[in-house]
Amino acid sequence: MTHRRAAVIGAGHTRFGVLPEGPRSLLRASVDGALTSVDRGLDRREIGEAFLGTLGFSGWQLGNASAILAEEARTPGIPVTRVENACASSGFALRAGIRAIESGARDVVLVCGLEKMTDSPSSRRRYWLGVSGDTEWERMAGLTFAGVYGLMASAHIREHGTPLEALAEVAVKNHENALKNPNAHFHKRITREEALAAPLVADPLRLFDCCPVSDGAASVLLAGEELARRFTDTPVTVIGDGAASDTLALQNRASLTRLAATRRAAEEAFQRAGTDRNTVDFLEVHDCFTIAELLALEDLGFADPGGAAQLELSGVTRLGGDLPVNPDGGLKAKGHPIGATGASQAYEAFLQLRNAAGDRQVKGAVTALTHNVGGSGASATVTLFSVR
Ligand code: COA
């Protein structure tokens, strides 16, 4: 079936990290950045609709954050929908934006992701970090989010003999990549030895196996593919996308080492794009914990079950390797302001595919895959972008 495709014509990104700015100014800066990045300019009155991905972490504007986006984007009157799918909130907001363009309902759509996390005390943060997982059997029983991924890591080690060095390698690589990303939360090189000796957070995961708690926002502007060249000579087309869900609690899943939602979303994305994995030049995957990057490589179909560790240890996934993974530093080192992550991944795809990623440029990149996960795998999106 041929259909109208959506193309990214602009993208904006704030710094990620412990930031003094509040949510409104983060949102405004990322939207203004996206508008400024449109090569031939875009009058904001041309934006027909907007979608905002945000969890509302720790109680910040729990309801109706959409109105704030309309205010800060200075687009009064347009419909704005807030999307909340945990850490995949803006991945799903992006999906809604793509559908609005593909259906012909809108010609230009704004998609934003936002989270302000660091302005609450640590006890409140601990409580809020668990709200996207199962409450009855996990959170209220004392299981933290790191604990959930710690269980998955233990099961992966048991099933596949996964070496801890492979987890450490993910952290070392992503910290290395973040050094080249001015927007990243961390600009700190670490060694494998430091990662392996860091304080334990949730066995076997240590400090550098975890993403940090970050503030930040990211925005992308989509247009119908046939209109996109009015705005830029280098639109980045969404050639396919997929989304899926799974059980909220780990205990109800058939496997702790495979995320069914990721697998289904990937199959749908490749099927919609009519392409295969060999065409993908780099990946932006949801590495909230280092084990999640290994699971992603396996569930997305770039490694066999248990095979991702070797891929990481061989250097294939490094910048300059055959299949770079998370060139922007990933959630691990770029940071993970929950609702902003999906939009941030799309921002990276936009930059890389336009050969505008500076020191972290993946040479000759034409096709990118982004992968955003909510909870411990309860929801997932996969999006394929191309400048082909
Ligand atoms: N990776 C690397 N360094 C980290 C870090 C991380 N994830 N988290 C904190 N640090 C560093 C800080 O920068 C600080 O360094 P400094 O002393 O040089 O300034 C130091 O560690 C202590 O920071 P602090 O904020 O006190 O750490 P913490 O013990 O409160 O938190 C974690 C550490 C791992 C518990 C926290 O980062 C965390 O909860 N991460 C997971 C977030 C999460 O679950 N998100 C949702 C995922 S789906």
Side-chain angles (χ1 to χ4, degrees), residues 87 129 145 175 186 201 207-208 210-213 288-289 332 336 338:
C87 304
L129 279 168
F145 234 81
H175 271 266
F186 293 122
V201 174
L207 180 67
F208 294 115
C210 307
C211 66
V213 173
C288 49
F289 298 92
K332 166 71 270 273
H336 181 31
I338 291 178

Side-chain angles (χ1 to χ4, degrees), residues 317-343:
T317 57
R318 287 199 165 229
L319 257 181
D322 284 347
L323 185 66
V325 177
N326 289 330
D328 61 0
L331 285 60
K332 166 71 270 273
K334 176 187 61 179
H336 181 31
I338 291 178
T341 285

